[in-house]
Amino acid sequence: MQLTAAYSFLTILQEESVPVHSYCLSFLQIILQNLEHRDIGVSNAWLDTLLAVIDVLPKETIRHEILNPLVSKAQLSQTLQSRLTSCRILGKLASKFEAHIVKRDILPLVESLCQDVEYEVRSCMCRQLELIAQGIGTELTKAAILPELIELARDEGSSVRLAAFETLVNLLSMFDHDDRSQIVLPLVKSFCEKSFKADESVLTSLSLHLGKLCHGLQGLFTQEQHMWFLEFYKKLCRIGLHQENGHNDNQIENMELEKKYSTVRKNCAYNFPAMVVFVGAKNFHIDLYATFFCLCHDPDVPVRYTIALGFCEVCKLLGSNVYLIHKELVALLQDDSLEVVDALLDHLTETLELMTSGGDNSGLDNKLMIVPDLVPALTSAEQRVANSLKWRSHEKLLQKFSCLPHIISSDQIYYRFLHRMFTIILTNNVLPVQKAASRTLCIFLRYNRKQEQRHEIIQKLVEQLGQGKSYWNRQRFLDTCEYIMEFFSKSFFCKYFYLSVLELTGDPVANVRMKVCNMLPKLKSTLKLPADKHLLQQLELCVRKLLCQEKDKDVLAVVKRTVLELDRMEISMDAYQKRFFEKDLLDQEKEREEHLLLEMEQIEKEKQQSEARSSNEKSYERKRRDSKTGSALPKSLPTVISGSSSGTQTVSRESKKSKLIRSQSFSSQAIHPKHGSLEKGTNKSNSVIGVGKNVLLPFVEDSLKIRTGSASASMSFSSATTMSSRGPGNTGDQKTNNSKEEKQKTKILAPASDKK
């Protein structure tokens, strides 16, 4: 009853059910009376209510009703509970009055309670000194609060010393440079030494505040002090694992002690980013990498979970040295505990981008180093999460996979991840997971750089989902189409998916028809007149069929509502329209990026063609030089020269010049094809070295038509083209080519001799 009354009084205040003046008259005295309740839980509940009430009470009411009675309540003659309550009230009142009033009326009570005979009172008052210091300012803090903290830090009670340590750490920003270097630093160092050797009960709190302490005192440490705090942190990171702190493995039998040590290591993992700042990114590998490795492979799951939560922050701090910890990222992704994997997921996108970019100059090296290990780790993590019952983690991981196009190549995504997304959509039973997989699949398709692969993906979407036997798959197809409309241009959707969606208006399952009807306004918004006039006619035909033939009352109701919405809609035109300006600009940007991907694919093909040609011509030239220095050259000497070595050089120059002209003519035809031939070229398949055989031949034929003067020259080029299309691996072709080269050699040398 008392607890319920306390919470009710607090609710009345928070909801402002009555004016503050009425609240003070009706409820404040009841709250003050119940502060002395013999049950500690009830007393604390009423105290929480009073502390909340103080925030809204006027100063005069606080002075007369709370502060004046508090002078007697804080005396040593009062009960322990009364003095503890007075400590908490004083901490709250310090922020309500001006500094001179606090100095005159509150600080004497504070000093008295800091000297109380009971360690619980000293500890409680010590924890309120932070609030009091914030209320009185820097000068009074240095004069009145700092001496009390120094004395409490040397108290005989461990809880009092711990409270003084935590308060000192929290107030570091209020002390000047001299106070921090001459008073605070030696004091906290002494406290750490004593705690580690003889006072294990405070190690948990000490490990939690160590990062903040080192960061707050940054720049004050000597080299020796810097190394001491670093080594102290390393010892805390290993405590309980080896023979640390004077204990061996046989002595650590107490489960409570082991749990305490695990908490200390967990706090060290929490403070690891602060310690990276403490040592600097340049010294990370020498000073902290071994400690980081131990924390990532700690036997306790909470420790690994905590280090995984801060992994992204460590990556940011390391900058260009982030490659040092890529193995630890792989290890955490492959961790046995799914909790650890889940801890990585919140910032996985940013982590992967940092790991693969890494710095201004080392991005490519980082990618080459981490990607071979990263891809198997990600696929393994997805498989393990999928086999568990944690579908939310599975959904989150699939959503994070959408960043992969910016991290790994299109081919790696296609062969390692894309087909897995299809499998999840088709087989998984959890709708949010299926939708996450569908969305990620659309993003993979958006950034895929090979048209053959894009056509294959689209075909599978239409055939396996849109035309699937299960109505559930057909509904997922409609979900996928909504993502397609979000990520792709209107023209792309209309070209590949528009009619497939309209076909589902005749689906035998009412739920599918209903979902399609709800999508009809979105379908109409993708059209542009007059180019898509025939698609608009198809849409209107489907709507008329639904109105005439639909028998399901729920679907018919949706159709009628949709028809009204369709009538109100306006279709954008190919010409400029102000009301569609922003949407049209966005759609044009999407369409431009799609064309850019096609152009990039064409450029890559042309680059591969030119590389294949240059390599084959180099090998052909090398074989000609070898054959000329061999047995073939002496046979042709009598017909070419008459005892002069300069004639040989002339022949060589003439043959090279003719080959250069021939090569340039061939290259000029192949390097500048029309961009419109992209789709035709990719549909003609059967490629070697990434270039379609049938794509290359027309260029060869054109170049031959331009410069064909003799049958021997055309024979020479067709043999070279055959070599480039088949590749260097076929030994039978090599023998044939060698015999052809012998014939070509004599044919090429003969015109040179005629000129001579």
Side-chain angles (χ1 to χ4, degrees):
M1 186 66 181
Q2 290 284 335
L3 292 175
T4 305
Y7 298 145
S8 300
F9 282 21
L10 182 58
T11 304
I12 293 170
L13 175 70
Q14 292 171 342
E15 296 181 354
E16 299 179 355
S17 302
V18 296
V20 175
H21 179 70
S22 301
Y23 189 91
C24 294
L25 294 176
S26 304
F27 301 108
L28 183 57
Q29 290 302 321
I30 300 175
I31 295 172
L32 293 173
Q33 291 172 6
N34 284 285
L35 291 177
E36 302 294 332
H37 199 281
R38 60 181 180 274
D39 187 286
I40 296 177
V42 172
S43 176
N44 288 333
W46 285 111
L47 177 59
D48 292 336
T49 303
L50 177 64
L51 296 178
V53 169
I54 289 175
D55 288 329
V56 299
L57 292 178
K59 290 183 180 180
E60 287 303 317
T61 303
I62 294 175
R63 177 188 293 276
H64 291 98
E65 300 293 339
I66 300 176
L67 181 56
N68 290 340
L70 200 63
V71 175
S72 61
K73 299 289 185 183
Q75 298 301 317
L76 190 60
S77 57
Q78 297 293 323
T79 62
L80 175 62
Q81 183 63 30
S82 177
R83 302 202 301 276
L84 291 174
T85 300
S86 300
C87 293
R88 295 187 61 187
I89 295 175
L90 286 172
K92 189 70 174 181
L93 293 181
S95 60
K96 298 295 294 183
F97 294 101
E98 293 78 7
H100 68 277
I101 297 177
V102 174
K103 180 179 179 181
R104 185 189 64 200
D105 298 335
I106 295 179
L107 280 184
L109 296 176
V110 171
E111 293 174 358
S112 173
L113 291 170
C114 285
Q115 305 295 327
D116 198 278
V117 294
E118 299 291 342
Y119 73 90
E120 294 100 326
V121 178
R122 299 197 301 273
S123 176
C124 183
M125 192 65 253
C126 185
R127 294 186 183 279
Q128 302 302 316
L129 292 180
E130 179 183 354
L131 296 174
I132 295 172
Q134 293 171 357
I136 62 177
T138 304
E139 293 298 326
L140 273 177
T141 298
K142 181 178 180 180
I145 302 300
L146 185 57
E148 294 294 336
L149 282 173
I150 294 173
E151 187 173 352
L152 291 170
R154 297 170 180 148
D155 197 275
E156 59 183 11
S158 60
S159 62
V160 180
R161 293 196 302 271
L162 179 60
F165 170 78
E166 293 177 2
T167 304
L168 278 170
V169 172
N170 293 332
L171 291 177
L172 282 175
S173 60
M174 299 192 69
F175 302 137
D176 57 28
H177 182 276
D178 292 338
D179 289 336
R180 281 183 286 171
S181 60
Q182 298 175 11
I183 299 175
V184 178
L185 180 56
L187 195 63
V188 296
K189 182 182 177 184
S190 174
F191 175 77
C192 294
E193 288 176 337
K194 293 178 180 178
S195 300
F196 193 79
K197 291 180 180 178
D199 197 358
E200 295 172 342
S201 60
V202 301
L203 284 180
T204 301
S205 179
L206 177 60
S207 61
L208 182 63
H209 291 84
L210 188 60
K212 189 174 182 179
L213 172 66
C214 293
H215 185 266
L217 296 176
Q218 188 81 6
L220 301 176
F221 296 103
T222 63
Q223 185 64 27
E224 181 182 353
Q225 290 171 335
H226 186 278
M227 290 304 300
W228 187 93
F229 275 96
L230 179 60
E231 290 300 321
F232 180 73
Y233 173 76
K234 291 180 180 179
K235 287 181 180 180
L236 292 178
C237 290
R238 297 189 301 268
I239 192 169
L241 300 178
H242 306 291
Q243 294 183 3
E244 297 288 343
N245 203 30
H247 293 277
N248 57 42
D249 294 339
N250 295 328
Q251 291 175 331
I252 305 179
E253 297 174 354
N254 191 334
M255 295 299 295
E256 288 297 324
L257 192 59
E258 290 182 4
K259 185 177 179 181
K260 184 184 299 182
Y261 287 159
S262 175
T263 305
V264 170
R265 298 197 303 274
K266 175 185 172 183
N267 292 340
C268 289
Y270 169 79
N271 281 306
F272 193 84
M275 298 308 296
V276 174
V277 176
F278 182 64
V279 302
K282 294 181 179 179
N283 300 319
F284 172 81
H285 188 262
I286 298 174
D287 293 336
L288 278 179
Y289 176 74
T291 302
F292 186 69
F293 178 86
C294 291
L295 292 173
C296 290
H297 294 83
D298 195 274
D300 289 337
V301 172
V303 180
R304 303 197 304 274
Y305 175 84
T306 306
I307 201 69
L309 284 175
F311 197 94
C312 182
E313 191 66 28
V314 176
C315 292
K316 292 178 185 178
L317 295 171
L318 289 180
S320 59
N321 294 318
V322 71
Y323 68 91
L324 294 171
I325 60 173
H326 81 273
K327 291 183 179 179
E328 282 63 44
L329 174 61
V330 172
L332 292 174
L333 283 171
Q334 296 175 334
D335 196 276
D336 295 334
S337 172
L338 292 179
E339 293 180 8
V340 177
V341 178
D342 189 67
L344 284 172
L345 296 185
D346 289 335
H347 301 285
L348 183 62
T349 299
E350 193 174 359
T351 301
L352 293 179
E353 290 175 353
L354 289 169
M355 294 294 288
T356 51
S357 60
D360 296 334
N361 301 319
S362 59
L364 180 59
D365 295 337
N366 286 348
K367 277 195 174 184
L368 294 175
M369 184 181 300
I370 187 175
V371 166
D373 296 331
L374 178 63
V375 172
L378 288 172
T379 55
S380 173
E382 190 276 324
Q383 290 282 358
R384 288 188 296 110
V385 176
N387 293 331
S388 70
L389 297 177
K390 297 185 176 183
W391 64 264
R392 289 180 179 85
S393 297
H394 195 196
E395 177 192 13
K396 191 190 299 185
L397 181 58
L398 293 177
Q399 290 171 348
K400 300 301 179 182
F401 278 177
S402 61
C403 72
L404 292 180
H406 306 294
I407 294 169
I408 61 179
S409 69
S410 176
D411 281 341
Q412 286 174 314
I413 291 175
Y414 178 77
Y415 291 110
R416 300 301 298 272
F417 294 96
L418 198 142
H419 295 289
R420 176 61 182 164
M421 297 300 108
F422 265 114
T423 303
I424 293 171
I425 296 171
L426 292 170
T427 61
N428 198 283
N429 296 323
V430 182
L431 181 58
V433 173
Q434 285 183 307
K435 286 189 174 183
S438 177
R439 184 180 187 277
T440 302
L441 174 66
C442 293
I443 294 176
F444 289 167
L445 176 63
R446 174 74 175 78
Y447 292 100
N448 188 280
R449 297 176 62 174
K450 291 190 177 179
Q451 191 168 3
E452 291 181 3
Q453 294 177 358
R454 288 196 294 273
H455 282 257
E456 180 190 344
I457 298 166
I458 293 169
Q459 184 178 1
K460 290 180 70 174
L461 283 171
V462 174
E463 293 179 356
Q464 298 186 23
L465 292 180
Q467 300 171 3
K469 295 181 180 180
S470 170
Y471 87 96
W472 187 259
N473 289 342
R474 298 196 295 275
Q475 284 188 315
R476 299 295 74 76
F477 174 73
L478 296 176
D479 291 333
T480 304
C481 287
E482 291 186 358
Y483 292 128
I484 293 288
M485 285 187 275
E486 178 184 350
F487 298 129
F488 290 83
S489 65
K490 296 177 180 179
S491 59
F492 182 92
F493 176 79
C494 291
K495 181 178 180 180
Y496 294 109
F497 294 97
Y498 188 92
L499 294 177
S500 299
V501 175
L502 282 184
E503 288 177 2
L504 293 177
T505 55
D507 195 275
V509 179
N511 284 355
V512 179
R513 298 197 303 273
M514 188 181 299
K515 194 173 183 67
V516 177
C517 292
N518 285 318
M519 286 182 62
L520 291 179
K522 290 184 179 180
L523 291 182
K524 188 175 181 180
S525 67
T526 62
L527 302 179
K528 282 187 178 181
L529 294 180
D532 296 329
K533 185 176 180 181
H534 64 291
L535 297 179
L536 179 60
Q537 292 173 348
Q538 292 286 338
L539 175 63
E540 293 172 347
L541 178 61
C542 290
V543 172
R544 284 196 294 269
K545 284 184 178 180
L546 286 169
L547 286 172
C548 297
Q549 301 175 6
E550 183 57 55
K551 297 179 180 179
D552 189 284
K553 61 178 183 180
D554 295 325
V555 178
L556 188 59
V558 174
V559 173
K560 291 179 180 178
R561 186 177 69 247
T562 304
V563 167
L564 296 176
E565 188 175 351
L566 290 173
D567 290 340
R568 291 193 298 267
M569 287 183 63
E570 295 185 21
I571 302 178
S572 62
M573 310 292 288
D574 287 336
Y576 169 77
Q577 286 179 290
K578 186 175 182 180
R579 59 182 175 276
F580 296 119
F581 181 67
E582 293 184 1
K583 293 182 179 179
D584 288 345
L585 277 182
L586 182 61
D587 186 67
Q588 289 174 11
E589 180 66 20
K590 292 178 182 178
E591 196 166 348
R592 188 188 67 80
E593 291 176 0
E594 290 162 9
H595 287 306
L596 182 61
L597 284 174
L598 294 176
E599 292 175 5
M600 290 172 65
E601 181 183 9
Q602 180 69 10
I603 292 171
E604 288 179 0
K605 285 187 176 183
E606 293 170 1
K607 183 179 178 182
Q608 290 171 352
Q609 288 177 5
S610 62
E611 289 176 354
R613 279 197 306 275
S614 62
S615 63
N616 280 298
E617 294 219 356
K618 286 180 181 178
S619 63
Y620 176 73
E621 177 66 21
R622 187 169 58 253
K623 289 179 181 179
R624 282 197 69 251
R625 285 199 303 268
D626 294 344
S627 63
K628 287 177 69 175
T629 57
S631 58
L633 187 59
K635 292 180 182 179
S636 60
L637 279 175
T639 62
V640 176
I641 54 175
S642 57
S644 175
S645 61
S646 62
T648 305
Q649 297 174 356
T650 304
V651 171
S652 176
R653 282 197 299 270
E654 291 292 336
S655 62
K656 288 181 180 179
K657 185 183 294 183
S658 64
K659 181 179 294 184
L660 179 60
I661 295 171
R662 188 170 62 210
S663 174
Q664 289 174 347
S665 174
F666 179 75
S667 300
S668 65
Q669 295 290 327
I671 291 176
H672 302 288
K674 293 181 179 179
H675 292 297
S677 63
L678 176 62
E679 295 184 5
K680 297 178 183 178
T682 53
N683 291 334
K684 289 184 179 180
S685 73
N686 285 355
S687 61
V688 177
I689 323 176
V691 182
K693 189 174 180 181
N694 293 329
V695 174
L696 185 59
L697 287 176
F699 299 126
V700 180
E701 291 173 1
D702 291 342
S703 63
L704 291 179
K705 288 177 183 178
I706 292 171
R707 57 167 299 285
T708 300
S710 63
S712 61
S714 64
M715 288 275 293
S716 165
F717 261 95
S718 59
S719 64
T721 308
T722 306
M723 286 178 62
S724 67
S725 63
R726 291 180 182 176
N730 193 325
T731 56
D733 290 345
Q734 288 177 359
K735 292 179 181 178
T736 305
N737 293 335
N738 288 335
S739 65
K740 288 183 179 181
E741 288 168 8
E742 292 294 332
K743 295 178 182 179
Q744 291 169 7
K745 176 189 66 179
T746 57
K747 288 180 179 180
I748 292 171
L749 290 176
S753 64
D754 293 342
K755 289 181 182 179
K756 183 66 178 177

